[in-house]
Amino acid sequence: MGFQTLERPGMTIHYAPLGLFATNCYVIRCHQTNACAIIDSSSDFEVIEAMVGGAGGQVTSLLQTHAHIDHVAALAQTKAAYQAPIVIHRNEMPLYQAAPMQGQMFGITTEPLPEPDQFVDEGEIVTVGSLRAEVIYTPGHTPGGICFWFCDQS
């Protein structure tokens, strides 16, 4: 499976719908520093690796919008491969801890998830090289759902 690429001011975005639920996974690369973030390590680690390779940068963070199994199924592999910090909202922890069990309901086998490295909340800024993303708290679909708005690059 391939991936799509978008060029935006200051950044390259690689993305692909992955896994049973065709969940979008993104690799954002900062043009200035070559730092990359993976957003939602959903599934199909080989495709994630290809997107990172296509970006040609160094993964510096693993950003999670929420913790449903279709957004975290490849997170253990991604963390092991890149040793980058996992960033998520604290209110996602019950879902995060239950993700392997949730996967069983859909026939998805996953390794236990590594502990998150950083909790973020509304209004905080996450950096990817010189790129800045504002955290927007969007509960509803899940208790700790968040979006990452790369506001300076809009």
Side-chain angles (χ1 to χ4, degrees):
M1 171 182 252
F3 56 88
Q4 302 288 325
T5 301
L6 294 172
E7 293 292 338
R8 294 292 183 260
M11 71 168 70
T12 300
I13 304 166
H14 295 305
Y15 66 96
L18 303 177
L20 180 66
F21 299 100
T23 301
N24 286 322
C25 174
Y26 301 87
V27 174
I28 310 291
R29 182 182 63 84
C30 171
H31 289 169
Q32 191 172 46
T33 66
N34 281 331
C36 293
I38 298 171
I39 301 177
D40 288 339
S41 297
S42 55
S43 185
D44 301 324
F45 178 69
E46 301 77 23
V47 178
I48 296 172
E49 279 185 309
M51 288 194 293
V52 170
Q58 178 181 356
V59 177
T60 59
S61 56
L62 307 174
L63 308 178
Q64 293 301 133
T65 62
H66 66 286
H68 279 152
I69 189 62
D70 60 318
H71 288 254
V72 299
L75 188 56
Q77 289 175 286
T78 306
K79 175 71 173 182
Y82 301 109
Q83 294 300 305
I86 297 169
V87 179
I88 195 166
H89 194 281
R90 183 177 308 278
N91 290 355
E92 283 301 287
M93 287 310 293
L95 281 173
Y96 189 87
Q97 292 163 340
M101 185 174 59
Q102 185 185 97
Q104 290 175 353
M105 293 187 302
F106 296 101
I108 299 170
T109 303
T110 184
E111 300 171 35
L113 298 179
E115 287 297 314
D117 299 286
Q118 181 183 353
F119 294 111
V120 291
D121 206 347
E122 174 78 26
E124 290 185 40
I125 301 295
V126 173
T127 59
V128 179
S130 63
L131 303 174
R132 296 168 39 89
E134 181 180 346
V135 175
I136 301 173
Y137 182 47
T138 54
H141 180 64
T142 66
I146 54 177
C147 297
F148 299 97
W149 179 37
F150 287 85
C151 44
D152 295 340
Q153 293 74 43
S154 297

